[in-house]
Amino acid sequence: MEVVIVPDAKAGGELIAEAMAGLLGRKPGALLGVATGSTPLPIYQALTAKVRAGAVDASGARICQLDEYVGLPTGHPESYRSVVLREVVEPLGLTEASFMGPDGAAEDVQAACEAYERTLAEAGGVDLQILGIGTDGHIGFNEPCSSLASRTRIKTLTRQTRQDNARFFDSPDEVPHHVITQGIGTILEARHLVLLATGAGKAEAVAQTVEGPVSALVPASALQLHPHATVVIDEAAAAQLKRADYFRDTYAAKPTWQGL
């Protein structure tokens, strides 16, 4: 696991967008896994700016979802499908044909989970997966005590996660209780995992993820098992790391040819 400490969210977004642009240069049809929420927005904004400036061609890129609410009607503005189309697909100049995600409105949710697993496999797997992290250490919607070998499935959201997401809805009561999420085992199959965390509220979860033991109690700690995982954090999110200076030194001395 590589830990990169940046000054702020904008710098983190620029750094990750540069890595995504480099990937698209090497593999124009790359499958990019995206996360939702406010944290990754600087990534998508920076990548969009590169596309519009002609610095990168994203026309062949494919986009896939990490998770989806269960029970929201098709087209609901806060369904993650709608959010990804609005914040990633459309700004990059892509069409819905380039997008894939689980069907949260399906009558048979289990079948929808299995179908999404097949879709990802048939697409050749995810090349780069963007991740956020919850205050309790969850990734995707793999809440604490999720199996580290889990596959795409339905999960019940914790009270804390529903409270964290209530800001996107008119009322906390409107936040769904269930989601479809890629499992930790599914996430770990992506070729490159990139987690972005910003703000003091994520500092404890980051410290447990990076420096704590691998544990189902902190789902994000599973990134320690991945051969190519990058954790990008701002100074506030790095505040509880005991080895922060080491991470700064190793990144400062990193050869430029290695990339992110």
Side-chain angles (χ1 to χ4, degrees), residues 10 31 40 76 107 115 119 180 223 241 243 245-246 250 256:
K10 183 178 180 181
L31 179 56
H76 189 288
E107 290 188 14
T119 296
I180 294 174
L223 269 67
L241 289 175
R243 296 181 60 80
D245 287 342
Y246 168 77
T250 54
T256 55

Side-chain angles (χ1 to χ4, degrees), residues 143-177:
E143 301 284 10
C145 294
S146 293
S147 166
L148 300 186
S150 55
R151 311 301 302 183
T152 300
R153 68 213 187 285
I154 186 171
K155 288 291 289 182
T156 300
L157 298 181
T158 64
R159 182 182 294 113
Q160 180 63 57
T161 297
R162 293 185 70 246
Q163 290 174 351
D164 289 346
N165 289 0
R167 67 189 187 277
F168 299 112
F169 292 83
D170 292 334
S171 163
D173 293 335
E174 294 182 13
V175 183
H177 287 268

Side-chain angles (χ1 to χ4, degrees), residues 122-227:
E122 291 167 0
V126 179
D127 291 293
L128 185 151
Q129 176 66 57
I130 300 297
L131 297 168
I133 186 171
T135 54
D136 58 3
H138 73 255
I139 50 173
F141 277 115
N142 295 284
E143 301 284 10
C145 294
S146 293
S147 166
L148 300 186
S150 55
R151 311 301 302 183
T152 300
R153 68 213 187 285
I154 186 171
K155 288 291 289 182
T156 300
L157 298 181
T158 64
R159 182 182 294 113
Q160 180 63 57
T161 297
R162 293 185 70 246
Q163 290 174 351
D164 289 346
N165 289 0
R167 67 189 187 277
F168 299 112
F169 292 83
D170 292 334
S171 163
D173 293 335
E174 294 182 13
V175 183
H177 287 268
H178 298 95
V179 292
I180 294 174
T181 184
Q182 286 187 38
I184 297 173
T186 310
I187 291 170
L188 290 176
E189 290 181 353
R191 296 175 182 88
H192 186 190
L193 299 178
V194 182
L195 186 152
L196 176 64
T198 57
K202 300 296 178 69
E204 182 178 2
V206 166
Q208 292 175 336
T209 294
V210 173
E211 297 178 336
V214 175
S215 169
L217 193 60
V218 183
S221 66
L223 269 67
Q224 295 181 33
L225 303 174
H226 196 276

Side-chain angles (χ1 to χ4, degrees), residues 58-59 61-63 85 89-90 92-100:
S59 61
R62 298 170 296 157
I63 307 295
L85 290 174
V89 175
E90 293 171 3
L92 291 178
L94 302 174
T95 67
E96 201 163 345
S98 67
F99 171 82
M100 57 191 76

